[in-house]
Amino acid sequence: MQNLLDPAILFFVFGCFAGLIRSNLEIPRSIAKFLSLYLLMALGLKGGFALAKTGLNPEIALSLAIALAMAFIVPTIGYWFLKDRIAKFDAAAVAASYGSVSAVTFVTAIQFMEQSQLNPNGYMAIALVIMESPAIIMAVLLANMLRHENNTAATSKEPSLKNILHESFTDGAHLLLLGSMAVGYFSGEAGKTVMQPFSGDLFKGMLAFFLLDMGLMVAKNFKEAKSNSLTLIAYASVSPLVHASLALGLCLLCGISLADTILLMVLSASASYIVVPAVLRYAIPEANPSIYFGLSIGITFPINILVGIPLYAWLAQTLVRA
């Protein structure tokens, strides 16, 4: 309940409401893009400052190893479950979307944890970076295998793995996050003090404004998401909890701290609706964008924002010794 009464979440709910009643309220695309870039820069700076303070110790390395493992486990499970239920190209694209991560969901989780005094570790932004690309690579490899199996030579030249990797790792949002982390790391505590008014004091308001825009976008895509089969709707609704539970199990097995466990659960439960769709549009043109984009933004994103984050935090607090 506390999460639902947070101003940023209330603005998200308001955005959904405004969109559903077909209000003409909208955030100009240039402003929405700026807000997205701001959140990534602030998140990257926080991660860099935290890493400069703690250093890369074995505990952090273990958390990051689990993040990397989940980046392969989630798309593998997704494709295995979906490949005989929908078109295989669509299955690969959906698996990639759910194997990758949502930066906005992660940022919202950080804010929730700070308000709940759960002390999130800024260095976990590195996990966000680590989990971004493996699922995309797996999906592209699967798509290429399917093309050869079906003997359907594409009319245009197939995108090379080198081009896919370049597109994934040099994506502007991804690059900004990495660059901001580097700036935070090298500037350290002095940089944190200087940047506090920008990356700290403004953060909550910027997040609320961005979630308002996300609410409008969810409402716009909700009707299309509902038009999918019951199997896909069930996958988009249930898979976040399944993926979060798998991450929780690995964290319990490896003795990961409470804060890192919550964030690993959130990352594993999230789905990409920015980077992955942008790459897959030309990497797997056989897949239907309305499926993998509509499910992630229209169903999974609001579930995670409204109920998922507090649920994952509660589960972790119940089972993990802080």
PDB file of all heavy atoms in Angstrom, residues 141-168:
ATOM      1  N   LEU A 141      20.683 -15.197 -32.548  1.00  0.00           N
ATOM      2  CA  LEU A 141      21.226 -16.506 -32.919  1.00  0.00           C
ATOM      3  C   LEU A 141      20.106 -17.501 -33.183  1.00  0.00           C
ATOM      4  O   LEU A 141      20.155 -18.280 -34.146  1.00  0.00           O
ATOM      5  CB  LEU A 141      22.152 -17.018 -31.808  1.00  0.00           C
ATOM      6  CG  LEU A 141      23.459 -16.238 -31.607  1.00  0.00           C
ATOM      7  CD1 LEU A 141      24.216 -16.769 -30.394  1.00  0.00           C
ATOM      8  CD2 LEU A 141      24.332 -16.339 -32.850  1.00  0.00           C
ATOM      9  N   LEU A 142      19.071 -17.486 -32.345  1.00  0.00           N
ATOM     10  CA  LEU A 142      17.923 -18.368 -32.548  1.00  0.00           C
ATOM     11  C   LEU A 142      17.228 -18.065 -33.880  1.00  0.00           C
ATOM     12  O   LEU A 142      16.855 -18.982 -34.626  1.00  0.00           O
ATOM     13  CB  LEU A 142      16.923 -18.202 -31.394  1.00  0.00           C
ATOM     14  CG  LEU A 142      17.246 -18.921 -30.092  1.00  0.00           C
ATOM     15  CD1 LEU A 142      16.310 -18.452 -28.980  1.00  0.00           C
ATOM     16  CD2 LEU A 142      17.127 -20.430 -30.268  1.00  0.00           C
ATOM     17  N   ALA A 143      17.059 -16.781 -34.157  1.00  0.00           N
ATOM     18  CA  ALA A 143      16.388 -16.393 -35.400  1.00  0.00           C
ATOM     19  C   ALA A 143      17.181 -16.864 -36.623  1.00  0.00           C
ATOM     20  O   ALA A 143      16.606 -17.353 -37.604  1.00  0.00           O
ATOM     21  CB  ALA A 143      16.198 -14.880 -35.441  1.00  0.00           C
ATOM     22  N   ASN A 144      18.497 -16.730 -36.560  1.00  0.00           N
ATOM     23  CA  ASN A 144      19.329 -17.191 -37.674  1.00  0.00           C
ATOM     24  C   ASN A 144      19.230 -18.707 -37.854  1.00  0.00           C
ATOM     25  O   ASN A 144      19.178 -19.214 -38.981  1.00  0.00           O
ATOM     26  CB  ASN A 144      20.786 -16.781 -37.454  1.00  0.00           C
ATOM     27  CG  ASN A 144      21.001 -15.300 -37.695  1.00  0.00           C
ATOM     28  OD1 ASN A 144      20.234 -14.667 -38.409  1.00  0.00           O
ATOM     29  ND2 ASN A 144      22.040 -14.742 -37.100  1.00  0.00           N
ATOM     30  N   MET A 145      19.173 -19.442 -36.732  1.00  0.00           N
ATOM     31  CA  MET A 145      19.001 -20.897 -36.801  1.00  0.00           C
ATOM     32  C   MET A 145      17.656 -21.248 -37.431  1.00  0.00           C
ATOM     33  O   MET A 145      17.563 -22.168 -38.261  1.00  0.00           O
ATOM     34  CB  MET A 145      19.096 -21.497 -35.398  1.00  0.00           C
ATOM     35  CG  MET A 145      20.498 -21.496 -34.796  1.00  0.00           C
ATOM     36  SD  MET A 145      20.497 -22.012 -33.060  1.00  0.00           S
ATOM     37  CE  MET A 145      19.715 -23.614 -33.160  1.00  0.00           C
ATOM     38  N   LEU A 146      16.609 -20.517 -37.048  1.00  0.00           N
ATOM     39  CA  LEU A 146      15.280 -20.779 -37.592  1.00  0.00           C
ATOM     40  C   LEU A 146      15.251 -20.521 -39.100  1.00  0.00           C
ATOM     41  O   LEU A 146      14.614 -21.268 -39.859  1.00  0.00           O
ATOM     42  CB  LEU A 146      14.242 -19.898 -36.886  1.00  0.00           C
ATOM     43  CG  LEU A 146      13.933 -20.260 -35.434  1.00  0.00           C
ATOM     44  CD1 LEU A 146      13.064 -19.187 -34.789  1.00  0.00           C
ATOM     45  CD2 LEU A 146      13.238 -21.618 -35.352  1.00  0.00           C
ATOM     46  N   ARG A 147      15.925 -19.465 -39.538  1.00  0.00           N
ATOM     47  CA  ARG A 147      15.957 -19.161 -40.972  1.00  0.00           C
ATOM     48  C   ARG A 147      16.608 -20.296 -41.760  1.00  0.00           C
ATOM     49  O   ARG A 147      16.145 -20.673 -42.832  1.00  0.00           O
ATOM     50  CB  ARG A 147      16.699 -17.847 -41.209  1.00  0.00           C
ATOM     51  CG  ARG A 147      15.977 -16.616 -40.687  1.00  0.00           C
ATOM     52  CD  ARG A 147      16.703 -15.342 -41.024  1.00  0.00           C
ATOM     53  NE  ARG A 147      16.079 -14.204 -40.338  1.00  0.00           N
ATOM     54  CZ  ARG A 147      16.653 -13.518 -39.361  1.00  0.00           C
ATOM     55  NH1 ARG A 147      17.878 -13.829 -38.971  1.00  0.00           N
ATOM     56  NH2 ARG A 147      16.025 -12.521 -38.785  1.00  0.00           N
ATOM     57  N   HIS A 148      17.701 -20.831 -41.205  1.00  0.00           N
ATOM     58  CA  HIS A 148      18.385 -21.926 -41.899  1.00  0.00           C
ATOM     59  C   HIS A 148      17.560 -23.206 -41.862  1.00  0.00           C
ATOM     60  O   HIS A 148      17.520 -23.962 -42.831  1.00  0.00           O
ATOM     61  CB  HIS A 148      19.757 -22.162 -41.278  1.00  0.00           C
ATOM     62  CG  HIS A 148      20.736 -21.062 -41.570  1.00  0.00           C
ATOM     63  ND1 HIS A 148      21.111 -20.714 -42.851  1.00  0.00           N
ATOM     64  CD2 HIS A 148      21.408 -20.223 -40.743  1.00  0.00           C
ATOM     65  CE1 HIS A 148      21.976 -19.716 -42.807  1.00  0.00           C
ATOM     66  NE2 HIS A 148      22.172 -19.393 -41.543  1.00  0.00           N
ATOM     67  N   GLU A 149      16.883 -23.452 -40.739  1.00  0.00           N
ATOM     68  CA  GLU A 149      16.035 -24.641 -40.629  1.00  0.00           C
ATOM     69  C   GLU A 149      14.894 -24.591 -41.638  1.00  0.00           C
ATOM     70  O   GLU A 149      14.519 -25.595 -42.238  1.00  0.00           O
ATOM     71  CB  GLU A 149      15.458 -24.751 -39.217  1.00  0.00           C
ATOM     72  CG  GLU A 149      16.450 -25.240 -38.175  1.00  0.00           C
ATOM     73  CD  GLU A 149      15.822 -25.289 -36.791  1.00  0.00           C
ATOM     74  OE1 GLU A 149      14.602 -25.067 -36.683  1.00  0.00           O
ATOM     75  OE2 GLU A 149      16.559 -25.540 -35.818  1.00  0.00           O
ATOM     76  N   ASN A 150      14.324 -23.396 -41.786  1.00  0.00           N
ATOM     77  CA  ASN A 150      13.173 -23.243 -42.681  1.00  0.00           C
ATOM     78  C   ASN A 150      13.583 -23.030 -44.137  1.00  0.00           C
ATOM     79  O   ASN A 150      12.726 -22.951 -45.019  1.00  0.00           O
ATOM     80  CB  ASN A 150      12.314 -22.055 -42.230  1.00  0.00           C
ATOM     81  CG  ASN A 150      11.736 -22.272 -40.850  1.00  0.00           C
ATOM     82  OD1 ASN A 150      11.590 -23.403 -40.404  1.00  0.00           O
ATOM     83  ND2 ASN A 150      11.420 -21.189 -40.166  1.00  0.00           N
ATOM     84  N   ASN A 151      14.901 -22.895 -44.352  1.00  0.00           N
ATOM     85  CA  ASN A 151      15.419 -22.633 -45.701  1.00  0.00           C
ATOM     86  C   ASN A 151      14.749 -21.426 -46.338  1.00  0.00           C
ATOM     87  O   ASN A 151      14.405 -21.428 -47.522  1.00  0.00           O
ATOM     88  CB  ASN A 151      15.219 -23.854 -46.614  1.00  0.00           C
ATOM     89  CG  ASN A 151      16.075 -25.026 -46.165  1.00  0.00           C
ATOM     90  OD1 ASN A 151      17.235 -24.839 -45.790  1.00  0.00           O
ATOM     91  ND2 ASN A 151      15.509 -26.221 -46.209  1.00  0.00           N
ATOM     92  N   THR A 152      14.507 -20.405 -45.505  1.00  0.00           N
ATOM     93  CA  THR A 152      13.872 -19.185 -46.011  1.00  0.00           C
ATOM     94  C   THR A 152      14.918 -18.090 -46.040  1.00  0.00           C
ATOM     95  O   THR A 152      15.098 -17.367 -45.077  1.00  0.00           O
ATOM     96  CB  THR A 152      12.700 -18.758 -45.104  1.00  0.00           C
ATOM     97  OG1 THR A 152      13.192 -18.644 -43.755  1.00  0.00           O
ATOM     98  CG2 THR A 152      11.594 -19.774 -45.149  1.00  0.00           C
ATOM     99  N   ALA A 153      15.600 -18.008 -47.133  1.00  0.00           N
ATOM    100  CA  ALA A 153      16.613 -16.970 -47.258  1.00  0.00           C
ATOM    101  C   ALA A 153      15.943 -15.611 -47.287  1.00  0.00           C
ATOM    102  O   ALA A 153      15.027 -15.370 -48.065  1.00  0.00           O
ATOM    103  CB  ALA A 153      17.409 -17.172 -48.544  1.00  0.00           C
ATOM    104  N   ALA A 154      16.401 -14.745 -46.431  1.00  0.00           N
ATOM    105  CA  ALA A 154      15.823 -13.407 -46.372  1.00  0.00           C
ATOM    106  C   ALA A 154      16.134 -12.656 -47.657  1.00  0.00           C
ATOM    107  O   ALA A 154      17.181 -12.822 -48.261  1.00  0.00           O
ATOM    108  CB  ALA A 154      16.387 -12.647 -45.175  1.00  0.00           C
ATOM    109  N   THR A 155      15.210 -11.835 -48.056  1.00  0.00           N
ATOM    110  CA  THR A 155      15.429 -11.057 -49.273  1.00  0.00           C
ATOM    111  C   THR A 155      16.523 -10.032 -49.073  1.00  0.00           C
ATOM    112  O   THR A 155      17.250  -9.694 -49.987  1.00  0.00           O
ATOM    113  CB  THR A 155      14.129 -10.340 -49.686  1.00  0.00           C
ATOM    114  OG1 THR A 155      13.668  -9.562 -48.579  1.00  0.00           O
ATOM    115  CG2 THR A 155      13.069 -11.349 -50.065  1.00  0.00           C
ATOM    116  N   SER A 156      16.646  -9.534 -47.844  1.00  0.00           N
ATOM    117  CA  SER A 156      17.736  -8.612 -47.538  1.00  0.00           C
ATOM    118  C   SER A 156      18.804  -9.364 -46.766  1.00  0.00           C
ATOM    119  O   SER A 156      18.559 -10.438 -46.225  1.00  0.00           O
ATOM    120  CB  SER A 156      17.213  -7.437 -46.700  1.00  0.00           C
ATOM    121  OG  SER A 156      16.638  -7.906 -45.507  1.00  0.00           O
ATOM    122  N   LYS A 157      19.967  -8.781 -46.726  1.00  0.00           N
ATOM    123  CA  LYS A 157      21.099  -9.432 -46.069  1.00  0.00           C
ATOM    124  C   LYS A 157      20.829  -9.582 -44.572  1.00  0.00           C
ATOM    125  O   LYS A 157      20.386  -8.646 -43.913  1.00  0.00           O
ATOM    126  CB  LYS A 157      22.362  -8.596 -46.290  1.00  0.00           C
ATOM    127  CG  LYS A 157      23.610  -9.255 -45.757  1.00  0.00           C
ATOM    128  CD  LYS A 157      24.826  -8.384 -46.037  1.00  0.00           C
ATOM    129  CE  LYS A 157      26.089  -9.030 -45.472  1.00  0.00           C
ATOM    130  NZ  LYS A 157      27.277  -8.182 -45.707  1.00  0.00           N
ATOM    131  N   GLU A 158      21.082 -10.762 -44.031  1.00  0.00           N
ATOM    132  CA  GLU A 158      20.875 -10.991 -42.608  1.00  0.00           C
ATOM    133  C   GLU A 158      21.834 -10.130 -41.796  1.00  0.00           C
ATOM    134  O   GLU A 158      23.008 -10.014 -42.138  1.00  0.00           O
ATOM    135  CB  GLU A 158      21.125 -12.470 -42.256  1.00  0.00           C
ATOM    136  CG  GLU A 158      20.042 -13.402 -42.736  1.00  0.00           C
ATOM    137  CD  GLU A 158      20.278 -14.815 -42.259  1.00  0.00           C
ATOM    138  OE1 GLU A 158      21.239 -15.025 -41.498  1.00  0.00           O
ATOM    139  OE2 GLU A 158      19.500 -15.698 -42.638  1.00  0.00           O
ATOM    140  N   PRO A 159      21.346  -9.520 -40.702  1.00  0.00           N
ATOM    141  CA  PRO A 159      22.240  -8.710 -39.884  1.00  0.00           C
ATOM    142  C   PRO A 159      23.292  -9.595 -39.233  1.00  0.00           C
ATOM    143  O   PRO A 159      22.985 -10.669 -38.721  1.00  0.00           O
ATOM    144  CB  PRO A 159      21.291  -8.099 -38.837  1.00  0.00           C
ATOM    145  CG  PRO A 159      20.118  -9.020 -38.798  1.00  0.00           C
ATOM    146  CD  PRO A 159      19.978  -9.558 -40.188  1.00  0.00           C
ATOM    147  N   SER A 160      24.543  -9.172 -39.282  1.00  0.00           N
ATOM    148  CA  SER A 160      25.622  -9.965 -38.695  1.00  0.00           C
ATOM    149  C   SER A 160      25.618  -9.803 -37.183  1.00  0.00           C
ATOM    150  O   SER A 160      25.123  -8.804 -36.640  1.00  0.00           O
ATOM    151  CB  SER A 160      26.971  -9.507 -39.251  1.00  0.00           C
ATOM    152  OG  SER A 160      27.286  -8.216 -38.783  1.00  0.00           O
ATOM    153  N   LEU A 161      26.186 -10.793 -36.502  1.00  0.00           N
ATOM    154  CA  LEU A 161      26.275 -10.725 -35.041  1.00  0.00           C
ATOM    155  C   LEU A 161      27.099  -9.513 -34.621  1.00  0.00           C
ATOM    156  O   LEU A 161      26.800  -8.866 -33.613  1.00  0.00           O
ATOM    157  CB  LEU A 161      26.904 -12.019 -34.502  1.00  0.00           C
ATOM    158  CG  LEU A 161      26.967 -12.146 -32.971  1.00  0.00           C
ATOM    159  CD1 LEU A 161      25.582 -12.044 -32.364  1.00  0.00           C
ATOM    160  CD2 LEU A 161      27.624 -13.460 -32.575  1.00  0.00           C
ATOM    161  N   LYS A 162      28.113  -9.183 -35.425  1.00  0.00           N
ATOM    162  CA  LYS A 162      28.940  -8.013 -35.122  1.00  0.00           C
ATOM    163  C   LYS A 162      28.095  -6.743 -35.114  1.00  0.00           C
ATOM    164  O   LYS A 162      28.222  -5.900 -34.206  1.00  0.00           O
ATOM    165  CB  LYS A 162      30.065  -7.897 -36.156  1.00  0.00           C
ATOM    166  CG  LYS A 162      30.969  -6.692 -35.939  1.00  0.00           C
ATOM    167  CD  LYS A 162      32.030  -6.613 -37.030  1.00  0.00           C
ATOM    168  CE  LYS A 162      32.887  -5.359 -36.847  1.00  0.00           C
ATOM    169  NZ  LYS A 162      33.912  -5.239 -37.919  1.00  0.00           N
ATOM    170  N   ASN A 163      27.218  -6.606 -36.093  1.00  0.00           N
ATOM    171  CA  ASN A 163      26.358  -5.420 -36.157  1.00  0.00           C
ATOM    172  C   ASN A 163      25.372  -5.377 -35.000  1.00  0.00           C
ATOM    173  O   ASN A 163      25.084  -4.309 -34.450  1.00  0.00           O
ATOM    174  CB  ASN A 163      25.594  -5.391 -37.488  1.00  0.00           C
ATOM    175  CG  ASN A 163      26.494  -5.101 -38.661  1.00  0.00           C
ATOM    176  OD1 ASN A 163      27.572  -4.522 -38.487  1.00  0.00           O
ATOM    177  ND2 ASN A 163      26.078  -5.490 -39.861  1.00  0.00           N
ATOM    178  N   ILE A 164      24.843  -6.554 -34.643  1.00  0.00           N
ATOM    179  CA  ILE A 164      23.907  -6.614 -33.517  1.00  0.00           C
ATOM    180  C   ILE A 164      24.595  -6.209 -32.225  1.00  0.00           C
ATOM    181  O   ILE A 164      24.062  -5.442 -31.418  1.00  0.00           O
ATOM    182  CB  ILE A 164      23.313  -8.035 -33.381  1.00  0.00           C
ATOM    183  CG1 ILE A 164      22.496  -8.398 -34.622  1.00  0.00           C
ATOM    184  CG2 ILE A 164      22.445  -8.135 -32.143  1.00  0.00           C
ATOM    185  CD1 ILE A 164      21.350  -7.472 -34.908  1.00  0.00           C
ATOM    186  N   LEU A 165      25.806  -6.744 -32.007  1.00  0.00           N
ATOM    187  CA  LEU A 165      26.560  -6.391 -30.801  1.00  0.00           C
ATOM    188  C   LEU A 165      26.857  -4.899 -30.768  1.00  0.00           C
ATOM    189  O   LEU A 165      26.736  -4.254 -29.721  1.00  0.00           O
ATOM    190  CB  LEU A 165      27.865  -7.203 -30.751  1.00  0.00           C
ATOM    191  CG  LEU A 165      27.725  -8.687 -30.436  1.00  0.00           C
ATOM    192  CD1 LEU A 165      29.058  -9.400 -30.644  1.00  0.00           C
ATOM    193  CD2 LEU A 165      27.239  -8.887 -29.001  1.00  0.00           C
ATOM    194  N   HIS A 166      27.241  -4.355 -31.922  1.00  0.00           N
ATOM    195  CA  HIS A 166      27.538  -2.921 -31.979  1.00  0.00           C
ATOM    196  C   HIS A 166      26.298  -2.101 -31.651  1.00  0.00           C
ATOM    197  O   HIS A 166      26.350  -1.144 -30.874  1.00  0.00           O
ATOM    198  CB  HIS A 166      28.065  -2.563 -33.369  1.00  0.00           C
ATOM    199  CG  HIS A 166      28.408  -1.113 -33.521  1.00  0.00           C
ATOM    200  ND1 HIS A 166      27.494  -0.183 -33.957  1.00  0.00           N
ATOM    201  CD2 HIS A 166      29.555  -0.431 -33.261  1.00  0.00           C
ATOM    202  CE1 HIS A 166      28.059   1.018 -33.970  1.00  0.00           C
ATOM    203  NE2 HIS A 166      29.318   0.893 -33.560  1.00  0.00           N
ATOM    204  N   GLU A 167      25.152  -2.498 -32.240  1.00  0.00           N
ATOM    205  CA  GLU A 167      23.898  -1.780 -32.000  1.00  0.00           C
ATOM    206  C   GLU A 167      23.506  -1.847 -30.531  1.00  0.00           C
ATOM    207  O   GLU A 167      23.048  -0.859 -29.948  1.00  0.00           O
ATOM    208  CB  GLU A 167      22.793  -2.394 -32.861  1.00  0.00           C
ATOM    209  CG  GLU A 167      21.434  -1.731 -32.717  1.00  0.00           C
ATOM    210  CD  GLU A 167      21.356  -0.394 -33.428  1.00  0.00           C
ATOM    211  OE1 GLU A 167      22.241  -0.098 -34.244  1.00  0.00           O
ATOM    212  OE2 GLU A 167      20.401   0.341 -33.153  1.00  0.00           O
ATOM    213  N   SER A 168      23.700  -3.011 -29.927  1.00  0.00           N
ATOM    214  CA  SER A 168      23.312  -3.213 -28.538  1.00  0.00           C
ATOM    215  C   SER A 168      24.186  -2.415 -27.578  1.00  0.00           C
ATOM    216  O   SER A 168      23.708  -1.719 -26.691  1.00  0.00           O
ATOM    217  CB  SER A 168      23.371  -4.707 -28.191  1.00  0.00           C
ATOM    218  OG  SER A 168      23.063  -4.909 -26.844  1.00  0.00           O
TER     219      SER A 168
END
